[in-house]
């Protein structure tokens, strides 16, 4: 056999392998490059930041910029509310997981049968940081101060249901008005000198003044006749006592029965009142507290909370565990540092570097949110705030509940939150995010909406006036309004005119009544249902005794339109915007606001103080709940972020033994 023949026998011709090897020639390189690509990609970590914990029980918290005040009266949002909760203690505290009220400065409480009188028994071992006992009179004095401060305080409407608060505010306003009038009268300008006056006086001299004698001339007394009886002695004139300034006569419904018993009288029943007084605004201040009145932050204030202020500096506010706190043995944190951050990016950098242990109250950009979402230390929470459209029920046909319900259930809220807001919010299927568990309370139902509109006399949207939807100038709100307008057109054949104005102009138009619906946003600062409904539908609701009758027979309540699926329920890319004069509907010219049937805050059976009534009356269309975001290191235990944005530091501790897990390996 020749060499060529042996070569062919030992090595079969290449063409025999050409067909079966061709696909492998393509696949093998792809697998190789894919494997290389996977090797190049780092294995994702479970946490955005995996750093070692601090060696002590020290919690470093970035919750915004430097606080402006430590005064509970002015604590409206973080970081002020977070610090006030730490250094002051009220009657009750909000349990971070359940949002239920739990004993704090009060050991227990009872209510009258009508839930209008509440009695709190205070702890006898609660003390201020200077050693003084915390007494019922501290709460009486502090709450009266809140009433007198009026609208200067944050969330002043939370006091509206307490007997006497309205009268105290009215008296204070009247006193301030009188002071202003007196001040203006004292500052009235004097007559301007006339340069020609001397020459005029020379030509026309004024008459000489009449001289008034210094003493009245007395006539000589006539001689007394003989044998005339002596005149009776003159009776002494009664002494006139100097009038003392009258004490305020208004009744105040907060009373110290004794040193450790506090009684509170309400105007309307409130089953959730213990939850209401857990809000920071109701925390007492010491009788001799003067540092709070200063313009700058002062560390020397007297407090009664689990922590006291240790220092204030450019690096933030430092708190130490309070030695006089009644439950100090159960507080595990020795120190809390509130670390200010210029913006979300700076806070994120500090967290990543292990310089802080938690980030809250930060406005992350949409790109950052997408980056953070997969990590276990990133948390997204529904915020206790509501964005909604409020009806002008003084204009027809919006005084008809069937029309209001039709417009409400013709909106697809899931589309609003997913398409227009990139999933950064939650659909508002009720008026409160605290009641979102369970079945849906509001559901999109175009067929039902068309039926209701037809019953109201507008079949297929015929003859329905073009809706004037008033919104503030904001890109997010304009996108939402356009989307809602498209839904109303598609589902009800109704046209909408979107009126975009600046906030000042919005308020002016509201007062004039030249609108049909107006966008509003409110923060619901408590788990008290009545207080939250007053935040939405007006603080004056609590004082209203007027019963408003709807012009039509009440139809099926929205709360009965349910879905078999469960829908679980601070900030979207644009924050919750609150318009001035929240809760007040305009009174058109010529309307008597005191006339029967003119009260905008009442439902068919009185004021709206429950969500059940709100869903039955539908004075507004709930749209969505904003969401808040936070980052919490895995070694931080007991730090609960909740809907009310009310974490408690009393239960927080640092797991000093926690260590980051090493992942990955050599390839």
């Amino acid at each position: 056999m020749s060499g060529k023949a042996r070569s062919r026998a030992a090595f079969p011709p290449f063409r025999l392998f050409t067909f079966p090897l061709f696909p492998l020639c393509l696949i093998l390189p792809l697998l190789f490059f894919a494997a290389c690509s996977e090797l190049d990609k780092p294995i994702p970590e479970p946490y955005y930041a995996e750093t070692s914990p601090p060696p002590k029980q020290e919690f470093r918290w970035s919750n915004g910029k430097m606080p402006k005040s430590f005064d509970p009266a002015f604590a409206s949002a973080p970081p002020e509310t977070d610090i006030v909760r730490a250094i002051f203690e009220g009657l009750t505290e909000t349990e971070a997981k359940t949002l239920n009220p739990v004993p704090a400065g009060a050991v227990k409480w009872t209510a009258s049968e009508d839930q209008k009188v509440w009695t709190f028994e205070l702890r006898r071992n609660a003390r201020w940081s200077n050693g003084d006992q915390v007494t019922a009179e501290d709460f009486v004095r502090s709450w009266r101060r809140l009433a007198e401060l009026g609208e200067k305080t944050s969330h002043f409407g939370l006091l509206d249901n307490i007997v006497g608060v309205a009268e105290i505010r009215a008296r204070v306003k009247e006193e301030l008005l009188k002071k202003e009038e007196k001040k203006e009268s004292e500052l009235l300008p004097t007559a301007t000198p006339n340069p020609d006056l001397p020459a005029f006086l020379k030509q026309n001299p004024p008459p000489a003044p009449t001289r008034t004698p210094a003493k009245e001339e007395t006539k000589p007394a006539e001689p007394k006749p003989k044998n005339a009886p002596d005149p009776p002695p003159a009776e002494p004139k009664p002494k006139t006592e100097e009038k003392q300034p009258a004490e305020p006569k208004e009744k105040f419904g907060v009373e110290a029965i004794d040193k450790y018993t506090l009684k509170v009288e309400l105007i309307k029943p409130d089953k959730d009142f213990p939850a209401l007084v857990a809000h920071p605004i109701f925390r007492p201040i010491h009788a001799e507290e003067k540092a709070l009145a200063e313009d700058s932050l002062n560390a020397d204030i007297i407090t009664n909370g689990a922590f006291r202020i240790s220092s204030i500096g450019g690096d933030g506010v430092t708190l130490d565990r309070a030695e006089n706190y009644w439950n100090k043995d159960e507080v595990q944190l020795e120190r809390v540092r509130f670390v200010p951050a210029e913006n979300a990016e700076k806070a994120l950098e500090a967290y990543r570097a292990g310089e802080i242990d938690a980030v809250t109250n930060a406005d992350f950009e949409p790109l950052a949110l997408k980056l953070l979402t997969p990590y276990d230390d990133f948390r997204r929470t529904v915020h206790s705030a509501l964005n909604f459209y409020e009806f002008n029920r003084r204009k027809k046909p919006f005084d008809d509940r069937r029309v209001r319900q039709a417009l409400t259930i013709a909106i697809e809220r899931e589309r609003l939150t997913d398409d227009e807001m990139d999933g950064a919010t939650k659909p508002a299927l009720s008026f409160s995010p605290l009641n979102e568990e369970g079945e849906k309370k509001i559901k999109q139902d175009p067929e039902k909406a068309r039926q209701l509109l037809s019953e109201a006399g507008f079949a297929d949207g015929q003859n329905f006036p073009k809706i004037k939807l008033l919104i503030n100038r904001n890109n997010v709100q304009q996108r939402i309004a356009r989307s809602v307008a498209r839904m109303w057109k598609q589902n009800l054949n109704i046209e909408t005119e979107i009126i975009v104005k600046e906030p000042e102009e919005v308020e002016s138009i509201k007062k004039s009544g030249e609108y049909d619906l107006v966008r509003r946003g409110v923060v619901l600062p408590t788990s008290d249902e009545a207080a939250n409904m007053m935040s939405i539908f007006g603080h004056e609701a609590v004082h209203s005794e007027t019963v408003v009758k709807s012009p039509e027979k009440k139809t099926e309540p929205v709360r009965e339109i349910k879905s078999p699926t469960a829908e679980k329920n601070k900030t979207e890319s644009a924050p919750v915007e609150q318009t001035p004069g929240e809760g007040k509907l305009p009174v058109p010219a010529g309307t008597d606001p005191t006339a029967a049937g003119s009260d905008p805050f009442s439902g068919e059976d009185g004021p709206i103080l429950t969500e059940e009534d709100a869903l039955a009356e539908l004075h507004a269309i709930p749209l969505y709940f904003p969401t808040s975001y936070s980052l919490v290191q895995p070694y931080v235990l007991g730090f609960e972020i909740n809907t009310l944005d009310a974490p408690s530091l009393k239960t927080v501790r640092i797991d000093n033994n926690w260590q980051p897990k090493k992942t990955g390996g050599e390839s």
Side-chain angles (χ1 to χ4, degrees):
M1 182 182 295
S2 66
K4 287 184 178 181
R6 285 195 303 268
S7 176
R8 290 192 187 102
F11 303 100
F14 181 73
R15 58 184 172 82
L16 295 176
F17 295 90
T18 300
F19 180 76
L21 286 179
F22 180 71
L24 292 177
C25 295
L26 297 177
I27 294 172
L28 287 174
L30 292 176
L31 292 175
F32 174 76
F33 287 119
C36 292
S37 177
E38 289 297 323
L39 291 174
D40 292 338
K41 290 175 64 176
I43 298 174
E45 303 288 347
Y47 304 107
Y48 179 70
E50 282 193 308
T51 56
S52 298
K56 298 181 179 180
Q57 286 296 317
E58 181 181 28
F59 181 51
R60 301 162 298 176
W61 183 4
S62 173
N63 65 340
K65 298 182 179 181
M66 280 289 290
K68 297 179 180 178
S69 171
F70 297 143
D71 194 332
F74 304 107
S76 60
E80 287 81 8
T81 49
D82 293 327
I83 295 181
V84 166
R85 285 191 184 95
I87 64 177
F88 291 101
E89 183 172 73
L91 296 171
T92 62
E93 197 75 69
T94 300
E95 205 281 322
K97 281 188 176 180
T98 65
L99 299 183
N100 293 328
V102 293
V107 292
K108 63 181 180 179
W109 49 85
T110 57
S112 61
E113 188 175 349
D114 61 0
Q115 296 179 333
K116 292 171 67 174
V117 179
W118 288 84
T119 305
F120 295 84
E121 183 179 328
L122 274 59
R123 296 184 184 278
R124 296 174 184 264
N125 59 341
R127 294 189 177 275
W128 295 96
S129 54
N130 68 346
D132 292 346
Q133 285 186 313
V134 179
T135 66
E137 189 58 40
D138 290 326
F139 287 90
V140 175
R141 184 191 63 258
S142 299
W143 291 13
R144 178 180 281 276
R145 170 179 178 255
L146 288 177
E148 292 178 345
L149 285 172
E151 296 182 11
K152 295 179 182 178
T153 67
S154 65
H155 302 294
F156 65 91
L158 297 182
L159 280 79
D160 278 3
N161 198 22
I162 297 176
V163 168
V165 167
E167 289 75 13
I168 292 175
R169 287 177 183 159
R171 171 180 59 80
V172 172
K173 282 185 178 180
E174 184 178 357
E175 291 173 354
L176 289 175
L177 183 62
K178 288 181 179 179
K179 287 182 180 179
E180 289 296 324
E181 290 176 348
K182 183 179 179 181
K183 186 177 180 181
E184 289 178 3
S185 63
E186 292 174 351
L187 296 176
L188 284 176
T190 56
T192 305
N194 189 344
D196 298 330
L197 188 58
F200 173 79
L201 291 176
K202 285 182 180 179
Q203 298 176 4
N204 302 279
T210 304
R211 185 176 179 181
T212 305
K215 287 186 178 181
E216 293 183 5
E217 297 181 2
T218 55
K219 296 180 180 180
E222 296 181 3
K224 179 181 176 183
K226 292 182 178 180
N227 302 325
D230 294 332
E235 294 184 4
K237 294 182 179 180
K239 294 182 179 180
T240 56
E241 296 183 0
E242 294 183 3
K243 291 185 178 180
Q244 299 294 331
E247 293 291 328
K249 295 182 179 180
E250 71 270 348
K251 178 183 179 182
F252 186 39
V254 184
E255 178 184 359
I257 302 300
D258 56 43
K259 194 173 183 179
Y260 301 106
T261 307
L262 183 73
K263 186 177 78 170
V264 185
E265 294 183 54
L266 306 179
I267 301 171
K268 300 287 184 183
D270 186 358
K271 61 182 176 58
D272 298 325
F273 188 69
L276 175 67
V277 296
H279 189 275
I281 196 174
F282 290 99
R283 316 257 161 150
I285 62 172
H286 192 271
E288 298 178 5
E289 183 54 70
K290 297 178 181 178
L292 286 176
E294 298 178 5
D295 294 334
S296 58
L297 299 177
N298 192 323
D300 297 326
I301 61 175
I302 303 171
T303 58
N304 70 326
F307 297 88
R308 63 175 182 83
I309 299 175
S310 172
S311 64
I312 304 170
D315 58 346
V317 178
T318 301
L319 311 182
D320 286 343
R321 185 170 52 196
E323 291 300 319
N324 285 339
Y325 183 58
W326 63 270
N327 200 25
K328 67 176 182 179
D329 294 338
E330 296 299 321
V331 180
Q332 299 197 37
L333 287 178
E334 298 171 0
R335 174 163 289 184
V336 179
R337 286 181 54 212
F338 288 92
V339 184
E342 295 179 16
N343 49 51
E345 289 72 23
K346 294 291 185 181
L348 207 57
E349 290 175 10
Y351 179 84
R352 182 79 165 178
E355 298 171 1
I356 54 179
D357 308 312
V359 178
T360 62
N361 194 34
D363 294 329
F364 294 116
E365 294 294 330
L367 185 60
L369 292 176
K370 290 181 180 180
L371 170 69
L372 295 170
T373 297
Y375 293 101
D376 292 342
D377 50 344
F378 175 73
R379 305 179 186 181
R380 184 193 299 261
T381 310
V382 177
H383 188 46
S384 184
L386 173 68
N387 278 266
F388 61 100
Y389 289 159
E390 183 178 60
F391 287 104
N392 182 356
R393 294 182 297 110
R394 291 193 175 94
K395 290 185 67 176
K396 292 183 177 297
F398 307 102
D399 59 343
D400 190 324
R401 185 194 176 280
R402 295 167 298 187
V403 170
R404 301 196 298 270
Q405 183 176 350
L407 293 172
T408 299
I409 64 177
I411 297 174
E412 300 175 69
R413 287 158 183 78
E414 290 82 359
R415 277 178 53 189
L416 286 181
T417 57
D418 293 342
D419 298 345
E420 302 300 337
M421 312 192 77
D422 298 322
T425 61
K426 291 289 184 181
L429 307 172
S430 61
F431 284 94
S432 172
L434 304 175
N435 300 327
E436 277 291 281
E437 298 294 336
E439 294 185 334
K440 295 182 181 180
K441 298 181 178 180
I442 295 178
K443 168 190 171 183
Q444 185 219 1
D445 192 340
E447 184 177 348
K448 177 70 175 178
R450 287 190 288 269
Q451 177 187 339
L452 289 168
L453 207 60
S454 179
E455 292 174 2
F458 304 100
D460 194 32
Q462 296 298 314
N463 300 320
F464 198 93
K466 180 181 285 189
I467 297 175
K468 292 182 178 180
L469 175 58
L470 177 62
I471 66 172
N472 53 301
R473 193 176 298 281
N474 175 282
N475 290 335
V476 174
Q477 298 307 327
Q478 291 183 58
R479 291 203 311 269
I480 292 172
R482 288 193 293 266
S483 183
V484 169
R486 286 194 297 269
M487 294 176 191
W488 283 339
K489 176 62 178 177
Q490 178 182 348
N491 295 329
L492 300 176
N493 195 30
I494 290 176
E495 299 289 344
T496 304
E497 177 188 358
I498 301 173
I499 306 171
V500 182
K501 297 291 183 181
E502 298 296 337
E504 302 80 14
E505 296 175 289
V506 169
E507 184 62 18
S508 176
I509 295 174
K510 283 175 65 177
K511 290 179 179 179
S512 71
E514 293 301 317
Y515 72 98
D516 299 324
L517 287 100
V518 60
R519 191 213 75 88
R520 287 183 52 212
V522 298
V523 175
L524 308 176
T526 172
S527 56
D528 184 310
E529 184 179 35
N532 288 342
M533 293 304 105
M534 282 189 282
S535 296
I536 299 171
F537 299 107
H539 302 306
E540 288 81 355
V542 74
H543 304 291
S544 170
E545 298 293 345
T546 307
V547 176
V548 175
K549 296 297 181 182
S550 299
E552 80 290 345
K553 185 179 179 181
K554 187 181 289 187
T555 57
E556 180 186 5
V558 170
R559 60 180 180 274
E560 295 181 9
I561 304 176
K562 299 176 180 178
S563 166
T565 59
E567 180 70 16
K568 189 179 179 182
N569 136 318
K570 118 184 175 217
T571 309
E572 58 190 88
S573 55
V576 180
E577 300 158 272
Q578 291 182 267
T579 52
E582 290 295 350
K584 298 183 179 181
L585 288 176
V587 180
T591 302
D592 180 5
T594 63
S598 67
D599 182 9
F601 313 110
S602 294
E604 214 173 71
D605 300 317
I608 294 178
L609 298 177
T610 67
E611 188 171 29
E612 182 181 11
D613 290 339
L615 289 167
E617 292 292 332
L618 282 178
H619 293 179
I621 302 176
L623 295 173
Y624 64 88
F625 303 120
T627 52
S628 61
Y629 311 98
S630 58
L631 284 162
V632 183
Q633 297 277 12
Y635 52 74
V636 177
L637 307 178
F639 187 67
E640 299 290 339
I641 304 297
N642 52 49
T643 301
L644 288 177
D645 197 12
S648 174
L649 292 173
K650 297 176 185 178
T651 58
V652 177
R653 69 181 179 89
I654 304 297
D655 182 359
N656 303 113
N657 298 321
W658 186 92
Q659 290 298 324
K661 295 179 180 179
K662 301 298 181 181
T663 58
E666 293 182 4
S667 57

